[in-house]
Amino acid sequence: MTESLLDLIRRRRTIRHFTDESVSNEEIDTLIELAMCAPTRLNRQPWHFVVVRDKAMQRAIAELLRIHPYIEQASVLIAVCGVPQASSTWLLDVSAATENLLLAATAIGLGAAWVGAPDTTLWNLLEEHLRDTLRIPLDVRIPVLVAVGHPAESPPPHGRHDRFDPRKVHYGVWGNVADELT
Ligand SMILES: Cc1cc2nc3c(=O)[nH]c(=O)nc-3n(C[C@H](O)[C@H](O)[C@H](O)COP(=O)(O)O)c2cc1C
């Protein structure tokens, strides 16, 4: 692969339309391996990943979330789980792993969408549903679902043109932004 990591990060976009092509077990294994390379506080690695390939289950989740048809369309759904008892920073650690997973998906030509709104009413219902159907223990949280598939859309890469905001960069002290320095 000749693409630089910098360009890969710019190219990662949320994909919400997938083709019918299946994602292989080897590809999923690669995504999770890369997710597990993420940094964690005290190297606790307080995560588990549940790989779901079940259209009926995906449909039930999509219906529960109401606005996410691509969850059903996706070849695979990965429930990214966190273990609060393993680390007080479990949610940060799991988030770092999720970003790694999304970048890995982009790198191997797959598309992915991070879905999650932990501690909202709807998400609490979803977590309960997932815990029941996927047999996830009570002391394990499920803050993130990642829908993975072959992309049927190709949004443009991010970059300075659409993302970089110099007003949000403070040099030395808060408020010292580039506009005022020049
Ligand atoms: C914590 C978190 C939760 C998200 N939840 C959803 C979601 O429920 N549905 C969705 O379509 N996208 C979700 N996204 C993706 C964002 O909508 C997306 O990252 C944002 O619009 C920017 O687009 P980009 O990823 O293409 O840069 C989520 C992203 C994060 C980090």
Side-chain angles (χ1 to χ4, degrees):
M1 192 188 308
T2 54
E3 181 180 39
S4 80
L5 179 59
L6 304 186
D7 286 334
L8 175 70
I9 292 169
R10 293 184 181 106
R11 207 161 56 74
R12 181 222 53 83
R13 295 296 313 271
T14 297
I15 298 300
R16 300 185 180 90
H17 296 283
F18 301 108
T19 69
D20 291 338
E21 195 181 339
S22 180
V23 172
S24 71
N25 287 336
E26 290 71 27
E27 287 170 316
I28 293 300
D29 186 71
T30 300
L31 301 190
I32 295 176
E33 178 201 330
L34 275 287
M36 289 184 179
C37 288
T40 56
R41 181 174 156 269
L42 301 174
N43 198 19
R44 292 276 170 83
Q45 303 169 44
W47 46 49
H48 286 261
F49 301 81
V50 182
V51 179
V52 178
R53 287 180 191 273
D54 181 322
K55 286 295 174 196
M57 201 175 281
Q58 289 171 233
R59 191 171 314 121
I61 294 168
E63 277 166 13
L64 216 156
L65 290 176
R66 291 173 208 150
I67 51 163
H68 301 283
Y70 52 86
I71 285 182
E72 190 180 344
Q73 224 180 36
S75 176
V76 177
L77 205 56
I78 301 174
V80 185
C81 304
V83 185
Q85 280 165 357
S87 174
S88 60
T89 56
W90 66 275
L91 189 52
L92 297 172
D93 299 336
V94 161
S95 299
T98 302
E99 174 69 354
N100 268 19
L101 197 157
L102 300 184
L103 290 170
T106 307
I108 63 173
L110 298 174
W114 176 335
V115 177
D119 297 322
T120 60
T121 308
L122 191 58
W123 199 264
N124 287 342
L125 282 175
L126 179 77
E127 269 198 69
E128 215 171 291
H129 172 78
L130 293 173
R131 202 167 276 120
D132 284 351
T133 51
L134 305 177
R135 299 192 213 152
I136 295 170
L138 271 175
D139 57 348
V140 174
R141 296 289 311 274
I142 313 130
V144 180
L145 287 175
V146 182
V148 185
H150 287 269
E153 61 175 338
S154 49
H158 287 310
R160 287 188 89 82
H161 61 285
D162 70 330
R163 279 298 179 100
F164 185 69
D165 186 349
R167 294 166 306 171
K168 292 185 176 176
V169 185
H170 308 260
Y171 294 92
V173 291
W174 186 275
N176 236 357
V177 298
D179 278 343
E180 292 172 15
L181 291 171
T182 54

